[in-house]
Amino acid sequence: MAIAVSLLGLIAPQGHAAPLHGIAMHGEPALPADYKHFSYVNPDVKKGGRISYGVVGTFDSLNPFILKSMRTTARGMWDPEFGNLVYESLMVRSRDEAFTMYGLLAESVEWDEDRSFIEFHLNPKARWADGKPVTPEDVIFTFELLRDKGRAPFSIRLNTVEKLEKTGERSVRFTFNDKGDREAPLLIAFSPILPKHAIDVETFDRSSLALPLGSGPYKVKAVKPGERIVYERDPNYWGKDIPSKVGFDNYDEISVEYFLQDNSLFEAFKKGVIDVYQEGNPTKWARGYDFPAVQSGTVIKDAVKSKLPSVMFGFVFNTRRPVFQNAELRKALLYSFDFEWVNRTLFENAYTRTESFWQNTDLSSINTPIDAREREIIGDAVSRIDPDVLAGTHRLPVTDGSGRDRKVLREAMNHFEKAGYSIKGGRMVDASGKPLTFEIMTQNADQEKLALVYQRFLAALGIQVSLRTVDDSQYQSRSQTFDYDVIMKAFLSSLSPGLEQVRRWGSQARDTEGSESFAGVADPDLDRVMTAILSARTAEDFRSAVRLQDRMLLSGNYVVPLYHLSEQWIARNKQIGRPEMTPLWGFQLPAWWDERVQ
């Protein structure tokens, strides 16, 4: 990749287009160039006060961009839930559109129809917290640093870039190579930018609790390693009045408290130590909120219907293990899980079975037969897709809820036999007589409860399953190095899937430690489908490609799908206010505020 710097734009490359205020993955931005704020914020909010968030886990670093601190970083530094409090990107995503970016550090952007390049024009007001301007040199430095010493996905952003160059006093341009796709410019726009003058390249990839310098609305005020991090609003924040930041960053102080267990976190919320608590347990939501603060109205329960695809949560088979390279065996194990028994016995029938990676949207293959565009993409490999999945009639088996539905168990046994297994002497064995055994790794009591149930279901078929519940640090370490047989994971889905799918299911991610390739899939046919997603120019082609990936993943049986909720649940202290409108993406905590501020 070539790096070049031109003088104040005098040697700028050819091919400039009209400057844009926003860019969209498909179609055009919904907001006009003169928009004043996002639709889901309160533009007249009175800023001040404080909020306290709670999380389960710990942290050993304030650097969220390196592998050594992955998933143990101090929350809030670069955070899709609490907000990017310290570091910022060139553009920011609207949470009321599928995938649209608007100006932040960059006030405008240019690209061509083929998206062969993207050029950012930095906002002249953009400043680091020490008052120094954000420059093209900072942008170039950041991408090179993260390429050399960062973690995925930041480390691979330049893989698609042929040339990165300064094209003016405040302009920087990325020209893409033949690996570039239509999502690449948006991912560049969404990447963090770091200050060149405040970073020691030599020590960047080491875990550190040194206070960072960013361009964001907050500074780190105090740190208690592993237990608490406190942010204070920067009164000189450069971007508080630009349209994409109006109505956000409303507290003077934000604290993030860490807890070893969710029970401890919930108790802290009940006592008012924590201000918001996101709930995912339907039994607890129905019965566990009878404490005094709820009865008095001090705590408010909020629920909104989700407009996003359902989360695919389930048991994930590590296909790096030889035993799980047998697709028919994976299907047999999927059929062995009695969802109806689990839903009735443990969750009062509150959940819906997840049967698609994009359920509840038009990206799902459910109820939609394969179309001509899908057949064109997949070619002869269409024979690998199950007939019912091709027809859109795919459904997971429904049991009588007894935990021993003989009809469904017979179906499961048919698949075990096709996989070369049979029951002998009360044990499920392969053709050589080797018993089928494996371990499920879990990280908390809720996962362990589900794993114990699955263990019982499989024991009835002569399958010996062991369970191992590990602490947070061991779980993260083993997850990153793929040191497990079966793990429980939740795959978040969006209305604009893209490169994150490659990180989860792509062949190249299989051997990349720290990637999201938990199943270890390496399938050239699936790679080709994901390439079609990334290269789609029309909404119709994009939809067909995503549906095809859904069919491939469902037919692969890499995951035993569990369940999802049709609503988002969150409880909050009544002093925490929120906008009346909930955007497409659901609750947006950075747009909430402290009602006590007058």
Side-chain angles (χ1 to χ4, degrees), residues 269-288:
F269 172 70
K270 289 165 65 174
K271 295 175 182 177
V273 176
I274 301 302
D275 290 315
V276 294
Y277 183 87
Q278 297 191 59
E279 184 59 77
N281 185 318
T283 302
K284 191 166 73 171
W285 186 250
R287 301 182 180 181

Side-chain angles (χ1 to χ4, degrees), residues 578-595:
R578 70 177 186 91
E580 292 183 6
M581 176 184 173
T582 301
L584 179 69
W585 287 67
F587 293 119
Q588 293 301 304
L589 296 177
W592 295 15
W593 61 84
D594 191 332
E595 292 274 20

Side-chain angles (χ1 to χ4, degrees), residues 251-268:
Y251 309 101
D252 284 343
E253 183 176 288
I254 297 174
S255 66
V256 182
E257 308 287 336
Y258 287 76
F259 298 86
L260 294 179
Q261 297 179 335
D262 186 69
N263 286 342
S264 302
L265 170 56
F266 188 58
E267 288 301 315

Side-chain angles (χ1 to χ4, degrees), residues 38-105:
F38 289 148
S39 59
Y40 53 90
V41 304
N42 176 3
D44 302 316
V45 63
K46 294 183 178 179
K47 297 180 183 290
R50 65 181 307 278
I51 191 170
S52 181
Y53 297 124
V55 296
V56 175
T58 184
F59 68 94
D60 58 8
S61 175
L62 298 185
N63 187 344
F65 308 119
I66 59 175
L67 184 61
K68 289 182 180 178
S69 66
M70 189 177 180
R71 299 189 181 92
T72 59
T73 311
R75 292 288 304 277
M77 305 293 295
W78 177 262
D79 196 306
E81 185 178 2
F82 300 155
N84 298 336
L85 304 182
V86 174
Y87 297 107
E88 294 184 306
S89 50
L90 292 163
M91 306 185 80
V92 65
R93 197 168 187 168
S94 167
R95 295 293 174 172
D96 203 38
E97 300 176 59
F99 196 178
T100 300
M101 309 287 293
Y102 294 91
L104 185 54
L105 289 174

Side-chain angles (χ1 to χ4, degrees), residues 539-592:
E540 293 75 19
D541 283 352
F542 174 75
R543 185 167 54 243
S544 292
V546 176
R547 285 176 179 167
L548 182 56
Q549 181 180 334
D550 194 33
R551 298 184 207 277
M552 293 286 287
L553 294 177
L554 293 175
S555 295
N557 298 297
Y558 303 110
V559 179
V560 177
L562 294 179
Y563 47 70
H564 64 273
L565 296 167
S566 59
E567 293 183 322
Q568 286 184 324
W569 296 330
I570 193 167
R572 58 186 167 94
N573 191 311
K574 71 174 183 179
Q575 72 192 32
I576 303 300
R578 70 177 186 91
E580 292 183 6
M581 176 184 173
T582 301
L584 179 69
W585 287 67
F587 293 119
Q588 293 301 304
L589 296 177
W592 295 15

Side-chain angles (χ1 to χ4, degrees), residues 302-361:
D302 281 333
V304 297
K305 288 286 186 182
S306 175
K307 302 172 187 176
L308 291 176
S310 56
V311 174
M312 174 58 79
F313 171 57
F315 295 96
V316 183
F317 301 116
N318 185 357
T319 62
R320 300 172 186 86
R321 301 288 200 253
V323 65
F324 293 127
Q325 292 172 9
N326 186 327
E328 199 67 43
L329 174 63
R330 299 195 299 267
K331 188 169 188 177
L333 291 169
L334 184 156
Y335 271 61
S336 303
F337 186 84
D338 191 333
F339 166 75
E340 283 67 32
W341 185 93
V342 170
N343 199 28
R344 175 178 57 82
T345 306
L346 301 183
F347 304 120
E348 302 182 17
N349 291 317
Y351 285 116
T352 299
R353 187 80 188 265
T354 306
E355 298 182 288
S356 164
F357 284 78
W358 285 274
Q359 197 155 329
N360 303 322
T361 75

